[in-house]
Amino acid sequence: MSTARTQVGIIGSGPSGLLLAQLLERAGIDSVVLERRSRDYVLGRVRAGVIEQGAVAILREAGVAERLEREGLKHHGVEIAVGEQRYRIDFAAQAASLTVYGQTELTKDLMDAREASGGLPRFEVEEVVLEDVATARPRLRYRQDGAAHVLDCDFIAGCDGFHGVSRAAIPADVLTTHERVYPFGWLGVLADVPPVSSELIYLSHERGFALCSMRSAARSRCYLQCDLDTEVSAWSDERFWDELEARLPTELAAHLTRGPTLEKSIAPLRSFVAEPLRYGRLFLAGDAAHIVPPTGAKGLNLAVRDVQQLAAAFVTHYREKRDTLLDGYSATALRRIWRAERFSAWLTSVLHRFPGRTSFDRRMQIAELDQLVSSSAARAAFVEAYTGSQA
Ligand code: APR
Ligand code: PHB
């Protein structure tokens, strides 16, 4: 059995774990990242792709925003369609913008940065176990290539996503979880066809929600609200494009370019928060701590801000020997997280078709969206939340 030591042991090499390792390294703090999957698997996952200005600034500070700022698409507005009606919400009044850049690309940039500094994660580790997290000497045990390893740490960062092991290391009488599971999913496709419009369009339609997003001027990323019991195999490319066309306003449907899909997957929708985010020397960040439904595009942005806050707290601990930021991490992060949960749940509730909804419920959704597009105060509040300019 081999024993090693590090300052911060990080579980998970998604955006949270990779960015935390990167920020810590730039501050001269040593870390080791343990990842259950292979490097190719981590780099192959297709996920969301809308990055707030504030998150871009953090990525810049981490030295990983160069390609994002070169290739990412800057957006200054977003469209909402309700049946045939189209509305545009402009970000200009708030001087806000969003950058559309795939999380897959960001993960690659982070991985390249880790490789350049010799800090690549340890991939394909198994049976990661957290020990003594409530003491000053926490430890990670794991297996790699059949051999047992021990990693002694000052701190452990649980960046292992919703299905990870970290959260379970917080005793049940300490941990509280809050959850809402939605009765539908999103069927997403990626295709090398030009987007129907230059901006994102969120569609509230009688047949169900749809979203037209993009990765570039030549690559579309589109989603359809779908039943939870449907299977990807039931959705031929033709069926997907037919259904999207049926949910688009007629004038936009005329611009829909169909093409073979590069990826097709179904994701369930969930709202989830764990509290507290700290137990002894264990800190949770990203999807290990919280899940938002993708409607508000907040998942990645929350993860980036969690990790920035956590990195700053570790820096204060090591440089200034003060633990005020570590002690305040959970409460401060949770306040920001709950605001994003509120926005994501609200936007999900006004845009989707809920089973069993009445005509009154539908009228309420339409009135809610009408209020959003016709009141300058409501638009300002939306832009603040959607672009993260308040966070
Ligand atoms: N041991 C080691 N690694 C693990 C374990 C484990 N027991 N369990 C999970 N992991 C790894 C996963 O394989 C994954 O690579 O932890 C990583 C978690 O990454 P993500 O799920 O991407 O979570 P996070 O880094 O917090 O990213 C948040 O990604 O899922 C989106 O919506 C989310 O955009 C947000 C962002
Ligand atoms: C995406 O481009 O994948 C995307 C955009 C906006 C969302 C969710 C996903 O709200």
Side-chain angles (χ1 to χ4, degrees):
M1 181 171 67
S2 78
T3 302
R5 125 136 248 104
T6 190
Q7 289 176 298
V8 183
I10 301 175
I11 312 174
S13 77
S16 302
L18 290 172
L19 179 61
L20 180 60
Q22 180 71 9
L23 287 168
L24 291 179
E25 194 214 273
R26 289 174 83 89
I29 299 170
D30 181 52
S31 72
V32 171
V33 181
L34 302 181
E35 167 59 48
R36 174 170 72 156
R37 304 284 193 169
S38 69
R39 181 177 177 167
D40 284 349
Y41 183 94
V42 171
L43 290 172
R45 287 189 289 228
V46 178
R47 286 189 171 154
V50 175
I51 306 179
E52 298 168 355
Q53 248 172 324
V56 172
I58 294 166
L59 295 166
R60 196 182 303 127
E61 186 193 320
V64 291
E66 198 243 323
R67 193 163 70 99
L68 181 157
E69 292 188 290
R70 192 161 22 94
E71 295 177 9
L73 305 171
K74 263 250 172 110
H75 284 219
H76 301 278
V78 66
E79 209 175 293
I80 293 184
V82 185
E84 285 293 324
Q85 295 291 323
R86 297 173 61 186
Y87 306 95
R88 180 171 184 275
I89 298 179
D90 198 301
F91 306 155
Q94 268 84 1
S97 69
L98 288 169
T99 302
V100 176
Y101 187 71
Q103 186 174 316
T104 313
E105 301 307 313
L106 177 61
T107 307
K108 181 178 183 309
D109 298 341
L110 283 163
M111 201 72 88
D112 287 349
R114 301 309 304 134
E115 183 159 38
S117 61
L120 271 181
R122 300 197 184 153
F123 293 105
E124 297 180 81
V125 305
E126 294 171 312
E127 299 170 34
V128 174
V129 178
L130 299 88
E131 284 182 0
D132 295 342
V133 294
T135 73
R137 287 270 159 263
R139 196 177 314 110
L140 290 171
R141 282 186 196 279
Y142 63 99
R143 299 187 72 81
Q144 194 176 29
D145 298 327
H149 298 267
V150 176
L151 184 63
D152 289 319
C153 312
D154 292 341
F155 299 100
I156 294 174
C159 299
D160 47 351
F162 184 65
H163 300 287
V165 289
S166 309
R167 203 171 52 245
I170 303 182
D173 60 342
V174 175
L175 186 75
T176 307
T177 60
H178 310 274
E179 184 170 40
R180 175 185 289 173
V181 178
Y182 296 86
F184 41 74
W186 278 19
L187 169 64
V189 308
L190 195 62
D192 278 335
V193 294
V196 286
S197 169
S198 59
E199 291 181 342
L200 268 63
I201 309 174
Y202 289 80
L203 302 129
S204 166
H205 194 275
E206 286 298 330
R207 298 177 69 93
F209 168 79
L211 168 60
C212 295
S213 181
M214 66 200 70
R215 289 292 173 268
S216 70
R219 181 170 284 188
S220 294
R221 176 75 172 152
C222 302
Y223 301 91
L224 290 175
Q225 176 184 349
C226 64
D227 291 339
L228 279 175
D229 58 8
T230 193
E231 305 233 349
V232 171
S233 58
W235 289 86
S236 64
D237 288 355
E238 196 185 1
R239 181 176 175 205
F240 183 90
W241 295 120
D242 282 347
E243 185 59 36
L244 180 59
E245 190 176 314
R247 297 185 194 186
L248 281 169
T250 316
E251 60 184 5
L252 278 173
H255 290 112
L256 180 67
T257 313
R258 294 165 180 242
T261 61
L262 309 170
E263 196 258 1
K264 204 183 276 152
S265 56
I266 295 175
L269 268 70
R270 184 193 303 273
S271 297
F272 173 89
V273 182
E275 297 183 321
L277 302 180
R278 180 223 185 137
Y279 178 68
R281 294 207 156 214
L282 165 66
F283 294 82
L284 303 180
D287 278 17
H290 45 74
I291 296 289
V292 283
T295 326
K298 291 285 156 232
L300 176 60
N301 292 296
L302 279 178
V304 168
R305 289 182 196 270
D306 290 355
V307 153
Q308 193 264 345
Q309 199 188 322
L310 192 52
F314 286 137
V315 170
T316 307
H317 169 86
Y318 286 111
R319 284 208 189 136
E320 300 174 24
K321 312 261 178 292
R322 279 193 305 121
D323 283 349
T324 41
L325 295 184
L326 281 176
D327 293 342
Y329 171 73
S330 183
T332 310
L334 281 166
R335 203 170 157 214
R336 169 175 50 73
I337 290 159
W338 276 114
R339 285 202 305 266
E341 291 285 347
R342 182 206 67 83
F343 175 69
S344 304
W346 169 78
L347 195 57
T348 302
S349 75
V350 294
L351 290 173
H352 290 77
R353 185 189 168 104
F354 283 73
R357 66 112 197 256
T358 62
S359 63
F360 185 85
D361 297 334
R362 178 58 180 156
R363 290 298 184 166
M364 276 291 127
Q365 286 185 323
I366 294 171
E368 192 76 40
L369 291 166
D370 188 30
Q371 165 74 5
L372 168 62
V373 297
S374 50
S375 149
S376 60
R379 279 199 307 273
F382 175 89
V383 173
E384 199 172 80
Y386 185 62
T387 64
S389 54
Q390 180 199 16

